[in-house]
């Protein structure tokens, strides 16, 4: 059951968090050319996509408590299949936006239920690795999406074909998850049902603060970095292929997410959080400072991949440990905060980029995780309710 759930979750996150949530940013240069989009419009469409993620989280939690993990996961993969199909057929910005909204909503549907299923079916000692493995499915999905985009440039086929492939892969993931999740019972979380008030205590604030900053930085990067590097180019490589390189390195370095639990054990959670926040800041700053070099592209994309995959794994096991009596609800809350940061961050970044330029925008966003790293206090970063500091 452990390996089956991990494999199914890996496939679901590879689709929903790969082309579903991040595919728009990968193809921004093609979308800007096809639909005459400004940076503000890119930011708005991306923001609406993250709003789909937010709404997907809410709906997934509602059905998870009533029908178990199978229904929301399959709903999300169906949304990914339909959304990517719509993008492949889009003829204007409105149709593109509908497709992006549906495809991105799949990320909200697909991941939280696996946190719940792992809590029920996997031993406590194996849970951090299982959650890290599931969340790192994103890195493989992103790298493969980048590889397909690179093939698009080298073989000169249309971007719509890529999205048709994404739709086919989503349909296959739907079938695989349908087979795997039938083995997980359809029962709500044990114990009394929890409400939002149960989440509002001192120990949860660092988790939600990190989640909000993570939402801002990750959304801004995946929405604007690939296009920014493409407009500057790297020596010896086609400008059209540059976005694919950004996401390939992003995904490959993101495989480090499998080491998250070991890093937590070696450094402790407070220092791991500080390191990840500084990694996010450095990634954004490098995109502004070295956008026309291989060093800038590889280091910026790689650091962002490390930040996104490790932080997502941290949010998964941190919330599962902090809210042991209602793990899926606690995880949903942290992802809702992430989604809120993503909606706000991408919309504001698009406006700022049009107003004062992308370099200044990247530096401005980089200051947010930098400031957060300075404010992380070890005595408030706890992993279990029993660790609550006495006041």
């Amino acid at each position: 059951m452990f390996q089956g759930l991990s494999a199914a979750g890996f496939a679901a996150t590879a689709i929903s968090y790969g082309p579903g949530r991040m595919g728009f940013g990968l193809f921004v240069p093609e979308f800007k050319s096809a639909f005459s989009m400004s940076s503000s419009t890119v930011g708005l469409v991306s923001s609406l996509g993250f709003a789909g993620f937010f709404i997907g989280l809410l709906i997934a939690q509602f059905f998870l408590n009533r029908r178990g993990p199978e229904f929301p996961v399959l709903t999300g993969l169906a949304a990914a299949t339909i959304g990517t199909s719509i993008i492949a057929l889009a003829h204007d910005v409105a149709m593109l936006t509908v497709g992006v909204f549906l495809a991105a909503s799949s990320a909200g549907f697909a991941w939280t239920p696996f946190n719940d299923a792992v809590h029920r079916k996997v031993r406590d000692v194996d849970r951090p690795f299982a959650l890290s493995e599931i969340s790192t499915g994103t890195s493989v999905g992103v790298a493969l999406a980048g590889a397909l985009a690179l093939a698009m440039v080298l073989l000169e086929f249309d971007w719509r074909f890529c999205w048709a492939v994404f739709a086919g892969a989503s349909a296959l993931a739907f079938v695989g998850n349908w087979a795997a999740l039938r083995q997980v019972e359809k029962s709500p979380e044990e114990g009394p049902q929890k409400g939002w008030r149960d989440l509002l205590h001192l120990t949860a604030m660092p988790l939600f603060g990190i989640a909000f900053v993570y939402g801002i930085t990750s959304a801004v990067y995946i929405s604007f970095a690939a296009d920014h590097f493409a407009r500057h180019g790297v020596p010896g490589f086609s400008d059209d292929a540059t976005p694919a390189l950004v996401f390939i390195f992003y995904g490959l370095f993101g495989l480090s997410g499998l080491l998250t639990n070991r890093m937590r054990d070696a450094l402790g959670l407070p220092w791991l959080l500080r390191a990840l926040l500084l990694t996010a800041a450095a990634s954004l700053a490098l995109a502004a400072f070295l956008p026309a070099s291989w060093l800038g592209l590889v280091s910026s994309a790689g650091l962002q991949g490390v930040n996104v995959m490790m932080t997502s794994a941290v949010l998964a096991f941190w919330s599962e440990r902090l809210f042991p009596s209602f793990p899926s609800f606690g995880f949903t809350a942290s992802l809702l905060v992430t989604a809120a940061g993503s909606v706000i961050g991408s919309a504001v970044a698009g406006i700022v980029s049009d107003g004062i330029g992308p370099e200044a925008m990247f530096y401005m966003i980089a200051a947010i995780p930098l400031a957060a790293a300075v404010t992380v206090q070890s005595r408030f970063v706890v992993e279990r309710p029993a660790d609550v500091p006495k006041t």
Side-chain angles (χ1 to χ4, degrees), residues 177-219:
N177 275 265
W178 174 76
L181 290 172
R182 288 185 299 166
Q183 305 173 47
V184 181
E185 68 274 8
K186 299 175 176 63
S187 61
E189 292 178 338
E190 298 177 0
Q193 293 299 303
K194 299 295 181 179
W196 297 108
R197 290 179 179 271
D198 296 288
L199 302 170
L200 300 178
H201 53 80
L202 181 62
T203 54
M205 294 305 104
L207 169 66
F208 296 147
I210 295 295
F212 186 73
V213 172
Y214 167 64
I216 294 173
T217 57
S218 61

Side-chain angles (χ1 to χ4, degrees), residues 7-33:
F10 189 90
T13 53
I15 291 296
S16 59
Y17 278 80
R21 187 170 181 244
M22 302 188 188
F24 174 74
L26 172 59
F27 287 87
V28 161
E30 284 72 26
F31 294 149
K32 290 178 76 172
S33 176

Side-chain angles (χ1 to χ4, degrees), residues 24 51 71 89-90 125 131 135-136 178 191 223 242 262 276 281 283 297:
F24 174 74
F71 183 80
L89 299 171
V125 68
L131 293 169
S135 66
T136 309
W178 174 76
S223 299
T242 302
R262 293 183 183 179
L276 291 173
S283 172
L297 186 151

